[in-house]
mmCIF file of all heavy atoms in Angstrom:
data_model
loop_
_atom_site.group_PDB
_atom_site.id
_atom_site.type_symbol
_atom_site.label_atom_id
_atom_site.label_comp_id
_atom_site.label_asym_id
_atom_site.label_seq_id
_atom_site.Cartn_x
_atom_site.Cartn_y
_atom_site.Cartn_z
ATOM 1 N N ALA W 726 120.431 102.172 104.652
ATOM 2 C CA ALA W 726 121.242 100.905 104.367
ATOM 3 C C ALA W 726 121.869 100.098 105.498
ATOM 4 O O ALA W 726 121.906 98.972 105.539
ATOM 5 C CB ALA W 726 122.386 101.290 103.359
ATOM 6 N N LEU W 756 131.341 116.973 113.953
ATOM 7 C CA LEU W 756 132.540 117.905 114.032
ATOM 8 C C LEU W 756 133.122 118.015 112.616
ATOM 9 O O LEU W 756 133.491 119.149 112.232
ATOM 10 C CB LEU W 756 133.547 117.241 115.053
ATOM 11 C CG LEU W 756 133.333 117.550 116.461
ATOM 12 C CD1 LEU W 756 134.387 116.813 117.295
ATOM 13 C CD2 LEU W 756 133.405 119.045 116.793
ATOM 14 N N LEU W 773 129.331 109.740 107.236
ATOM 15 C CA LEU W 773 129.890 109.209 108.565
ATOM 16 C C LEU W 773 128.931 109.497 109.658
ATOM 17 O O LEU W 773 128.755 108.657 110.495
ATOM 18 C CB LEU W 773 131.260 109.914 108.852
ATOM 19 C CG LEU W 773 131.887 109.519 110.127
ATOM 20 C CD1 LEU W 773 132.250 107.996 110.123
ATOM 21 C CD2 LEU W 773 133.171 110.305 110.334
ATOM 22 N N VAL W 784 118.122 101.238 117.712
ATOM 23 C CA VAL W 784 118.649 100.569 118.920
ATOM 24 C C VAL W 784 117.979 101.204 120.283
ATOM 25 O O VAL W 784 117.636 100.380 121.085
ATOM 26 C CB VAL W 784 120.235 100.696 119.085
ATOM 27 C CG1 VAL W 784 120.673 100.067 120.332
ATOM 28 C CG2 VAL W 784 120.846 100.129 117.813
ATOM 29 N N MET W 786 115.039 102.564 120.236
ATOM 30 C CA MET W 786 113.675 102.031 120.232
ATOM 31 C C MET W 786 113.575 100.587 120.751
ATOM 32 O O MET W 786 112.706 100.217 121.470
ATOM 33 C CB MET W 786 113.079 102.106 118.793
ATOM 34 C CG MET W 786 111.581 101.561 118.778
ATOM 35 S SD MET W 786 110.534 102.318 119.937
ATOM 36 C CE MET W 786 110.525 103.955 119.313
ATOM 37 N N THR W 792 112.358 97.843 127.786
ATOM 38 C CA THR W 792 112.295 98.502 129.088
ATOM 39 C C THR W 792 110.796 98.576 129.508
ATOM 40 O O THR W 792 110.468 98.241 130.685
ATOM 41 C CB THR W 792 112.921 99.809 129.065
ATOM 42 O OG1 THR W 792 114.364 99.750 128.737
ATOM 43 C CG2 THR W 792 112.728 100.498 130.425
ATOM 44 N N GLY W 811 108.459 116.128 117.459
ATOM 45 C CA GLY W 811 107.721 117.413 117.396
ATOM 46 C C GLY W 811 108.560 118.451 118.082
ATOM 47 O O GLY W 811 108.584 119.536 117.523
ATOM 48 N N PRO W 818 114.092 124.311 113.185
ATOM 49 C CA PRO W 818 114.087 125.430 112.189
ATOM 50 C C PRO W 818 114.483 126.770 112.748
ATOM 51 O O PRO W 818 115.213 127.552 112.210
ATOM 52 C CB PRO W 818 112.653 125.458 111.647
ATOM 53 C CG PRO W 818 112.105 124.073 111.873
ATOM 54 C CD PRO W 818 112.737 123.632 113.210
ATOM 55 N N GLY W 822 117.796 128.543 111.913
ATOM 56 C CA GLY W 822 117.833 129.966 111.333
ATOM 57 C C GLY W 822 118.613 130.915 112.195
ATOM 58 O O GLY W 822 119.337 131.676 111.676
ATOM 59 N N ASP W 826 121.912 132.835 110.974
ATOM 60 C CA ASP W 826 121.986 134.308 111.026
ATOM 61 C C ASP W 826 123.119 134.837 111.862
ATOM 62 O O ASP W 826 123.840 135.818 111.554
ATOM 63 C CB ASP W 826 120.686 134.900 111.545
ATOM 64 C CG ASP W 826 119.632 134.816 110.437
ATOM 65 O OD1 ASP W 826 119.900 134.437 109.355
ATOM 66 O OD2 ASP W 826 118.485 135.230 110.708
ATOM 67 N N SER W 829 126.899 130.721 110.886
ATOM 68 C CA SER W 829 126.815 130.050 109.459
ATOM 69 C C SER W 829 126.213 128.767 109.617
ATOM 70 O O SER W 829 125.964 128.296 110.772
ATOM 71 C CB SER W 829 128.185 129.978 108.823
ATOM 72 O OG SER W 829 128.846 128.966 109.425
ATOM 73 N N PHE W 834 125.967 122.009 113.328
ATOM 74 C CA PHE W 834 126.598 120.740 113.656
ATOM 75 C C PHE W 834 127.210 120.806 115.081
ATOM 76 O O PHE W 834 127.454 119.741 115.695
ATOM 77 C CB PHE W 834 127.595 120.302 112.600
ATOM 78 C CG PHE W 834 126.916 120.023 111.243
ATOM 79 C CD1 PHE W 834 126.991 120.937 110.219
ATOM 80 C CD2 PHE W 834 126.183 118.870 111.062
ATOM 81 C CE1 PHE W 834 126.446 120.672 108.983
ATOM 82 C CE2 PHE W 834 125.645 118.634 109.820
ATOM 83 C CZ PHE W 834 125.743 119.504 108.803
ATOM 84 N N LEU W 906 116.724 94.618 93.477
ATOM 85 C CA LEU W 906 115.474 94.357 94.260
ATOM 86 C C LEU W 906 115.150 92.816 94.029
ATOM 87 O O LEU W 906 114.850 92.193 95.031
ATOM 88 C CB LEU W 906 114.364 95.203 93.794
ATOM 89 C CG LEU W 906 112.979 94.988 94.386
ATOM 90 C CD1 LEU W 906 113.061 95.083 95.829
ATOM 91 C CD2 LEU W 906 111.930 95.872 93.726
ATOM 92 N N PRO W 917 118.480 81.550 105.741
ATOM 93 C CA PRO W 917 117.905 81.280 107.053
ATOM 94 C C PRO W 917 117.698 82.431 107.930
ATOM 95 O O PRO W 917 116.703 82.445 108.736
ATOM 96 C CB PRO W 917 118.814 80.191 107.653
ATOM 97 C CG PRO W 917 120.212 80.443 107.002
ATOM 98 C CD PRO W 917 119.926 80.966 105.513
ATOM 99 N N LEU W 951 111.133 121.455 100.170
ATOM 100 C CA LEU W 951 110.414 122.316 99.294
ATOM 101 C C LEU W 951 110.119 123.648 100.088
ATOM 102 O O LEU W 951 110.326 124.735 99.513
ATOM 103 C CB LEU W 951 109.084 121.694 98.893
ATOM 104 C CG LEU W 951 108.118 122.528 97.948
ATOM 105 C CD1 LEU W 951 108.926 122.949 96.739
ATOM 106 C CD2 LEU W 951 106.918 121.700 97.622
ATOM 107 N N HIS W 955 111.299 127.391 99.214
ATOM 108 C CA HIS W 955 110.247 128.338 98.837
ATOM 109 C C HIS W 955 110.369 129.622 99.688
ATOM 110 O O HIS W 955 110.369 130.711 99.182
ATOM 111 C CB HIS W 955 108.857 127.703 99.089
ATOM 112 C CG HIS W 955 107.783 128.677 98.957
ATOM 113 N ND1 HIS W 955 107.194 129.114 97.857
ATOM 114 C CD2 HIS W 955 107.072 129.351 99.960
ATOM 115 C CE1 HIS W 955 106.201 130.016 98.060
ATOM 116 N NE2 HIS W 955 106.086 130.182 99.368
ATOM 117 N N MET W 962 113.073 135.359 102.230
ATOM 118 C CA MET W 962 113.253 135.412 103.745
ATOM 119 C C MET W 962 114.610 134.917 104.111
ATOM 120 O O MET W 962 115.333 134.291 103.314
ATOM 121 C CB MET W 962 112.192 134.499 104.439
ATOM 122 C CG MET W 962 110.769 134.895 104.300
ATOM 123 S SD MET W 962 109.772 133.741 105.185
ATOM 124 C CE MET W 962 108.123 134.285 104.603
ATOM 125 N N ASP W 963 115.065 135.510 105.316
ATOM 126 C CA ASP W 963 116.331 134.978 105.759
ATOM 127 C C ASP W 963 116.069 133.643 106.545
ATOM 128 O O ASP W 963 114.969 133.229 106.689
ATOM 129 C CB ASP W 963 117.036 135.939 106.638
ATOM 130 C CG ASP W 963 116.322 136.389 107.836
ATOM 131 O OD1 ASP W 963 115.420 135.570 108.324
ATOM 132 O OD2 ASP W 963 116.403 137.533 108.393
ATOM 133 N N ALA W 975 105.495 122.637 113.220
ATOM 134 C CA ALA W 975 106.313 121.959 114.280
ATOM 135 C C ALA W 975 105.462 121.890 115.540
ATOM 136 O O ALA W 975 105.541 120.888 116.217
ATOM 137 C CB ALA W 975 107.549 122.731 114.426
ATOM 138 N N THR W 1015 96.904 126.352 95.296
ATOM 139 C CA THR W 1015 97.153 127.828 95.497
ATOM 140 C C THR W 1015 98.531 128.212 95.376
ATOM 141 O O THR W 1015 98.979 129.299 95.685
ATOM 142 C CB THR W 1015 96.671 128.199 96.994
ATOM 143 O OG1 THR W 1015 97.475 127.379 97.906
ATOM 144 C CG2 THR W 1015 95.199 127.897 97.229
ATOM 145 N N ASN W 1040 103.422 108.971 113.531
ATOM 146 C CA ASN W 1040 104.625 108.302 113.936
ATOM 147 C C ASN W 1040 104.364 107.172 114.952
ATOM 148 O O ASN W 1040 104.902 106.099 114.884
ATOM 149 C CB ASN W 1040 105.588 109.347 114.526
ATOM 150 C CG ASN W 1040 106.973 108.958 114.221
ATOM 151 O OD1 ASN W 1040 107.237 108.273 113.248
ATOM 152 N ND2 ASN W 1040 107.922 109.413 114.970
ATOM 153 N N GLY W 1079 113.114 117.202 94.872
ATOM 154 C CA GLY W 1079 114.213 117.910 94.392
ATOM 155 C C GLY W 1079 114.437 117.864 92.866
ATOM 156 O O GLY W 1079 114.821 118.877 92.278
ATOM 157 N N VAL W 1081 112.041 117.450 90.705
ATOM 158 C CA VAL W 1081 110.977 118.345 90.087
ATOM 159 C C VAL W 1081 111.494 119.779 90.143
ATOM 160 O O VAL W 1081 111.388 120.495 89.148
ATOM 161 C CB VAL W 1081 109.677 118.169 90.834
ATOM 162 C CG1 VAL W 1081 108.671 119.219 90.362
ATOM 163 C CG2 VAL W 1081 109.089 116.754 90.600
ATOM 164 N N GLY W 1094 112.583 129.723 88.721
ATOM 165 C CA GLY W 1094 111.643 128.583 88.072
ATOM 166 C C GLY W 1094 111.046 127.719 89.073
ATOM 167 O O GLY W 1094 110.168 126.953 88.827
ATOM 168 N N PHE W 1095 111.596 127.797 90.375
ATOM 169 C CA PHE W 1095 110.926 126.923 91.432
ATOM 170 C C PHE W 1095 109.450 127.246 91.525
ATOM 171 O O PHE W 1095 108.732 126.318 91.803
ATOM 172 C CB PHE W 1095 111.622 127.152 92.806
ATOM 173 C CG PHE W 1095 112.914 126.513 92.968
ATOM 174 C CD1 PHE W 1095 113.579 125.939 91.879
ATOM 175 C CD2 PHE W 1095 113.598 126.411 94.160
ATOM 176 C CE1 PHE W 1095 114.840 125.206 92.040
ATOM 177 C CE2 PHE W 1095 114.843 125.764 94.299
ATOM 178 C CZ PHE W 1095 115.345 125.164 93.238
ATOM 179 N N ALA W 1107 100.695 115.452 98.093
ATOM 180 C CA ALA W 1107 99.303 115.144 98.482
ATOM 181 C C ALA W 1107 99.084 113.630 98.218
ATOM 182 O O ALA W 1107 98.314 112.874 99.003
ATOM 183 C CB ALA W 1107 98.308 115.932 97.645
ATOM 184 N N GLU W 1130 97.994 88.132 114.215
ATOM 185 C CA GLU W 1130 97.996 87.083 115.276
ATOM 186 C C GLU W 1130 98.567 85.734 114.646
ATOM 187 O O GLU W 1130 99.387 85.069 115.244
ATOM 188 C CB GLU W 1130 96.583 86.874 115.738
ATOM 189 C CG GLU W 1130 96.058 88.028 116.584
ATOM 190 C CD GLU W 1130 94.650 87.926 116.801
ATOM 191 O OE1 GLU W 1130 93.972 86.843 116.468
ATOM 192 O OE2 GLU W 1130 94.058 88.837 117.507
ATOM 193 N N ARG W 1135 103.001 81.705 113.826
ATOM 194 C CA ARG W 1135 103.874 81.048 112.834
ATOM 195 C C ARG W 1135 105.326 81.449 113.111
ATOM 196 O O ARG W 1135 106.223 80.497 113.000
ATOM 197 C CB ARG W 1135 103.481 81.391 111.451
ATOM 198 C CG ARG W 1135 102.151 80.748 111.129
ATOM 199 C CD ARG W 1135 101.730 81.189 109.649
ATOM 200 N NE ARG W 1135 102.617 80.520 108.675
ATOM 201 C CZ ARG W 1135 102.494 80.677 107.366
ATOM 202 N NH1 ARG W 1135 101.549 81.463 106.883
ATOM 203 N NH2 ARG W 1135 103.283 80.109 106.545
ATOM 204 N N ARG W 1151 102.522 79.437 123.781
ATOM 205 C CA ARG W 1151 103.588 80.498 124.024
ATOM 206 C C ARG W 1151 103.359 81.660 122.971
ATOM 207 O O ARG W 1151 103.660 82.790 123.296
ATOM 208 C CB ARG W 1151 105.047 79.869 123.661
ATOM 209 C CG ARG W 1151 105.446 79.011 124.781
ATOM 210 C CD ARG W 1151 106.658 78.106 124.337
ATOM 211 N NE ARG W 1151 107.801 78.998 124.036
ATOM 212 C CZ ARG W 1151 108.850 78.502 123.430
ATOM 213 N NH1 ARG W 1151 108.948 77.245 123.117
ATOM 214 N NH2 ARG W 1151 109.836 79.284 123.207
#
Side-chain angles (χ1 to χ4, degrees):
L756 282 174
L773 178 62
V784 180
M786 179 52 63
T792 300
D826 280 0
S829 73
F834 296 104
L906 175 61
L951 179 58
H955 168 83
M962 297 182 185
D963 60 29
T1015 60
N1040 215 24
V1081 171
F1095 279 13
E1130 293 171 1
R1135 292 179 65 179
R1151 288 166 59 190

